[in-house]
C-alpha cells in the first residue's frame, strides 16, 4: 500500500504487540521480514553483511534513524507467534509512492518473490493504488485487500464506503472474481463492519484457517499463476519478433 496506509500498525495488531515503528508520517525505512524463531533482529546491508540489534530496539529502526540505517537494505526479524508457527512470513514494506526511490525499488524487488500479498488501503483507493494493484495482478500475485482506517469515515456510513471499495476492486480483478476484502480499525478495534467476516477477527481467522493451513496448495496455485504470466510474456515477445522479421523481409 501507499505510505502511512497503516501497514506496520496492522502487523502489530495481528501479532498483538507494538513490534514495528508507527507514525502518522512515512515511517518504515526498509523492507522488514518477520518469521517464526528465536527473538532476533538483523539489519542486512547493501554489501550483504549483517548487524544484530536488541529485539527491543526494532521499533527505533525507522525513517528518522539515518545513521543506523545507512547502507541498509533489509531488516530480518524472528519471533514466536501462533500465526508464524505454520511458516507464514509477514513482510512489511516502505510505502509505495515513497519519497525515497531506493526504498520503493527494494519493495518491488521483494514483491517479485511473493506468492501472496495483503494490499493495505488507508483513507481510500487512489489512482496510484489502482496502478499498483493492476501491476501486482499482472505478476500473478494473489491479493487480499484490507482497509485499515474505518474509524475516520465521517460523511458516509461504513457500509457504503465498503461497497464503494469493493465495486472499484471488482473493476480491477478478472471478470467474476470477488475481492477478498476486510475493513478494520487498528485504533478503534471495537469498531467493526456489519459483516463480521470482514472484521479484524475475520481477518485473523482467514490468515489462520485459509493461508496457514493451506500454504502448500496456495504455493502451487501461485506457481501456476506465475507460469501463466511468463508464458503470456513469452508469447507476446515471440509475436513481436516475428513481426520484426516480417518487416525486415519486406
Amino acid at each position: 500500500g501507499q505510505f502511512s496506509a497503516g501497514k506496520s500498525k496492522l502487523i502489530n495488531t495481528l501479532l498483538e504487540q507494538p513490534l514495528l515503528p508507527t507514525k502518522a508520517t512515512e515511517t518504515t525505512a526498509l523492507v522488514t521480514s518477520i518469521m517464526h524463531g528465536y527473538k532476533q533482529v538483523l539489519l542486512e546491508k547493501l554489501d550483504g553483511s549483517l548487524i544484530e540489534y536488541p529485539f527491543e530496539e526494532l521499533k527505533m529502526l525507522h525513517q528518522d534513524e539515518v545513521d543506523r540505517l545507512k547502507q541498509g537494505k533489509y531488516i530480518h526479524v524472528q519471533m514466536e507467534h501462533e500465526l508464524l508457527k505454520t511458516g507464514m512470513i509477514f513482510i512489511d514494506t516502505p510505502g509505495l509512492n515513497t519519497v525515497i526511490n531506493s526504498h520503493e525499488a527494494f519493495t518491488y524487488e521483494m514483491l517479485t518473490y511473493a506468492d501472496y500479498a495483503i494490499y493495505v488501503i488507508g483513507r481510500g483507493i487512489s489512482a496510484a493504488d489502482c496502478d499498483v494493484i493492476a501491476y501486482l495482478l499482472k505478476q500473478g500475485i494473489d491479493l487480499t485487500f484490507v482497509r485499515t482506517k474505518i474509524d475516520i469515515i465521517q460523511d458516509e456510513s461504513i457500509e457504503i464506503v465498503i461497497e464503494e471499495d469493493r465495486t472499484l476492486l471488482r473493476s480491477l480483478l478478472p471478470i467474476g472474481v470477488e475481492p477478498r476484502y476486510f475493513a478494520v480499525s487498528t485504533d478503534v478495534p471495537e469498531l467493526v463492519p456489519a459483516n463480521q467476516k470482514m472484521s479484524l477477527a475475520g481477518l485473523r481467522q482467514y490468515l489462520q484457517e485459509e493461508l496457514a493451513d493451506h500454504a502448500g496448495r496456495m504455493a502451487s496455485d501461485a506457481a501456476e499463476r506465475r507460469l501463466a504470466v511468463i508464458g503470456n510474456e513469452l508469447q507476446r515477445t515471440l509475436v513481436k519478433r516475428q513481426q520484426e522479421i516480417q518487416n525486415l523481409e519486406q
Side-chain angles (χ1 to χ4, degrees), residues 1-9 11 20-21 25-34 43 61-64 69 72-75 90-111 118-120 129 132 136:
Q2 307 299 313
F3 69 85
S4 296
K7 300 180 295 297
S8 300
K9 186 172 279 191
I11 292 176
L20 301 168
T25 55
E26 189 170 345
T27 305
T28 302
L30 301 174
V31 173
T32 303
S33 64
I34 307 168
L43 171 66
L61 299 179
H62 53 71
Q63 202 78 275
D64 297 336
L69 301 181
K73 186 174 183 181
Y74 300 120
I75 297 174
F90 281 104
I91 299 178
D92 189 25
T93 65
L96 300 171
N97 278 1
T98 175
V99 297
I100 303 177
N101 292 334
S102 62
H103 292 174
E104 186 164 330
F106 291 152
T107 295
Y108 276 108
E109 178 183 330
M110 181 63 73
L111 284 170
I118 294 176
Y119 195 88
V120 178
D129 286 314
V132 175
L136 296 176

Side-chain angles (χ1 to χ4, degrees), residues 181-196:
Y181 175 98
F182 298 88
V184 308
S185 170
T186 50
D187 289 323
V188 189
E190 63 272 16
L191 184 62
V192 297
N195 185 344
Q196 295 287 314

Side-chain angles (χ1 to χ4, degrees), residues 141-173:
I141 298 174
D142 190 10
L143 294 177
T144 286
F145 305 93
V146 179
R147 184 168 182 139
T148 56
K149 301 181 180 181
I150 60 172
D151 53 287
I152 67 172
I153 297 173
Q154 296 179 346
D155 296 334
E156 299 179 277
S157 76
I158 291 175
E159 308 310 320
I160 290 175
V161 171
I162 286 174
E163 190 49 43
E164 289 174 348
D165 282 353
R166 288 170 57 82
T167 298
L168 179 52
L169 291 171
R170 286 188 194 101
S171 71
L172 300 173
L173 294 169

Side-chain angles (χ1 to χ4, degrees), residues 29-30 43 45 51 53 60-72:
L30 301 174
L43 171 66
K45 303 189 77 172
I51 300 175
Y53 284 96
M60 300 301 296
L61 299 179
H62 53 71
Q63 202 78 275
D64 297 336
E65 292 291 311
V66 178
D67 291 335
R68 283 194 186 195
L69 301 181
K70 191 174 184 180
Q71 298 299 307

